[in-house]
Amino acid sequence: MEKKNLDWSNIGFTYMTTDKRYVSNFKNGKWDAGELTEDSTVVLNECAGILQYCQECFEGLKAYTTADGSIVTFRPDLNAERMMGSAAWLEMPIFPKERFLEAVDQVVAANAAWVPPYGSGATLYLRPYMFATGPVIGVKPSSEYQFRLFGTPVGPYFKGGVKPLTLCVSDFDRAAPHGTGHIKAGLNYAMSLHASEMAHMRGYDENLFPDSATRTYVEETGGANFLFVTRDHEVVTPASDSILPSITRRSLVYVAEHYLGLKVTQRKVKISELSDFAECGLCGTAAVISPVGKIVDHGKEICFESGMEEMGEITKKLYDTLTGIQMGTIEAPEGWIRKIL
């Protein structure tokens, strides 16, 4: 299939309307058959549950053109399962895993011309999301919902090269114990926006949110998990019940153990021990790993040995290995790659 006539290396990380998206509605206790549509407009009642009480959850994944010309997605089954968990926590109906995967396949196939070519550094970003459409004025779950999934081509996250980030330890709380920090709900991201803008105004790229109970342990940023590397190349990821279970982080942990032969530990990480690590990165779908060069804790600078110019040695190996798996130049573990075309 002929690709769209775009400057793929310079399209940026922004929304672009593509040809088709998938829509399914939940009414009278069941989901309808669902369909592809060209209409990108959402029409809602003024009293819809999403507008009144923020009943909404979403996911993010990508479709890639691999080295052999195939179009694939990366571990979409885990996105389906995580969305099921998010919906259950928000008292929303479960959109079945197989339906989710079928919707991904349909949207990618219908928008194949929008999947960037191999080697461009760009991908087709996929956004499945579900929200309450039924009118609700009392505080309670809606009885009607809509599941939608669209795709938009996005350029390389590190346009112009990788530059390690500078973070600050935030005075704001991102999520509370026994709250919603472990699910992918829009409300969690809305809560981080003010803190994020405050950090940007002070010259920082992102926040490090401590745990809200003791404010002594590392949790995550507004939209990514942390990954640390010790001086003897042990990979350490923070443990917390209020951290979103990142699919990218879980994949990097597997790569570290089974491809690179590194020791991996998941444990609570104290802010006071950050200076003991040689490398630091943020894990997420958009960039895979964003290197962190420095964290500022209320005036105290914590500088990682990897520096402010490039990724650290182990972080780079993890990044190269996982992106190689995604792009088909490195053999993937069983079940990680779902071929669509």
Side-chain angles (χ1 to χ4, degrees), residues 24-92:
S24 181
N25 291 289
F26 182 89
K27 191 173 183 178
N28 298 323
K30 63 181 181 180
W31 290 102
D32 66 15
E35 63 178 357
L36 291 173
T37 176
E38 295 180 357
D39 190 359
S40 61
T41 304
V42 177
V43 178
L44 290 170
N45 183 285
E46 63 184 350
C47 200
I50 175 58
L51 301 177
Q52 304 307 318
Y53 303 117
C54 205
Q55 252 192 308
E56 182 267 359
C57 60
F58 71 100
E59 278 297 323
L61 64 157
K62 290 179 177 179
Y64 311 82
T65 300
T66 59
D68 67 0
S70 300
I71 294 178
V72 306
T73 50
F74 178 72
R75 310 191 78 178
D77 54 316
L78 297 188
N79 293 97
E81 292 168 4
R82 189 168 64 181
M83 191 170 195
M84 293 167 68
S86 296
W89 193 265
L90 293 170
E91 294 299 329
M92 301 169 72

Side-chain angles (χ1 to χ4, degrees), residues 3 7 10 50 76 131 152 170 194 205 235 241 250 278 306 335:
K3 300 293 185 181
D7 183 2
N10 293 291
I50 175 58
F131 52 94
T152 184
S170 181
H194 177 65
D205 296 299
V235 175
D241 291 337
R250 283 181 275 171
S306 51

Side-chain angles (χ1 to χ4, degrees), residues 117-146:
Y118 174 76
S120 65
T123 54
L124 184 72
Y125 187 87
L126 301 170
R127 172 52 57 86
Y129 60 115
M130 187 198 306
F131 52 94
T133 55
V136 179
I137 198 66
V139 181
K140 62 179 182 179
S142 173
S143 61
E144 298 177 10
Y145 298 84
Q146 187 170 101

Side-chain angles (χ1 to χ4, degrees), residues 40-303:
S40 61
T41 304
V42 177
V43 178
L44 290 170
N45 183 285
E46 63 184 350
C47 200
I50 175 58
L51 301 177
Q52 304 307 318
Y53 303 117
C54 205
Q55 252 192 308
E56 182 267 359
C57 60
F58 71 100
E59 278 297 323
L61 64 157
K62 290 179 177 179
Y64 311 82
T65 300
T66 59
D68 67 0
S70 300
I71 294 178
V72 306
T73 50
F74 178 72
R75 310 191 78 178
D77 54 316
L78 297 188
N79 293 97
E81 292 168 4
R82 189 168 64 181
M83 191 170 195
M84 293 167 68
S86 296
W89 193 265
L90 293 170
E91 294 299 329
M92 301 169 72
I94 301 299
F95 195 72
K97 180 177 177 178
E98 286 307 314
R99 290 282 309 274
F100 181 103
L101 296 174
E102 289 168 7
V104 169
D105 291 352
Q106 288 183 39
V107 168
V108 173
N111 294 293
W114 293 92
V115 181
Y118 174 76
S120 65
T123 54
L124 184 72
Y125 187 87
L126 301 170
R127 172 52 57 86
Y129 60 115
M130 187 198 306
F131 52 94
T133 55
V136 179
I137 198 66
V139 181
K140 62 179 182 179
S142 173
S143 61
E144 298 177 10
Y145 298 84
Q146 187 170 101
F147 171 90
R148 296 179 71 95
L149 193 157
F150 67 84
T152 184
V154 294
Y157 195 82
F158 292 126
K159 191 174 182 295
V162 176
K163 291 296 181 184
L165 308 176
T166 299
L167 312 186
C168 63
V169 177
S170 181
D171 290 323
F172 297 95
D173 290 334
R174 178 195 157 268
H178 313 297
T180 58
H182 65 293
I183 67 171
K184 202 167 179 68
L187 58 90
N188 289 339
Y189 293 77
M191 290 291 289
S192 73
L193 293 178
H194 177 65
S196 179
E197 289 302 304
M198 293 292 288
H200 294 164
M201 287 174 59
R202 294 165 57 200
Y204 300 107
D205 296 299
E206 250 296 1
N207 288 289
L208 180 159
F209 288 106
D211 72 294
S212 59
T214 71
R215 302 196 62 77
T216 58
Y217 295 102
V218 175
E219 293 244 302
E220 61 177 29
T221 67
N225 284 187
F226 277 96
L227 180 149
F228 299 100
V229 181
T230 67
R231 291 182 179 88
D232 60 358
H233 296 173
E234 177 185 353
V235 175
V236 178
T237 60
S240 169
D241 291 337
S242 54
I243 291 177
L244 183 74
S246 165
I247 294 166
T248 303
R249 187 204 70 210
R250 283 181 275 171
S251 301
L252 288 167
V253 162
Y254 185 93
V255 164
E257 288 183 315
H258 298 277
Y259 282 71
L260 302 182
L262 301 175
K263 179 182 178 182
V264 178
T265 302
Q266 183 176 23
R267 62 172 175 81
K268 287 184 175 294
V269 175
K270 290 184 177 181
I271 294 173
S272 61
E273 67 173 298
L274 290 179
S275 58
D276 296 336
F277 294 109
E279 300 176 34
C280 173
L282 304 180
C283 313
T285 300
V288 181
I289 307 179
S290 302
V292 176
K294 179 168 63 176
I295 297 175
V296 180
D297 183 6
H298 298 87
K300 177 186 176 184
E301 291 192 350
I302 302 163
C303 299

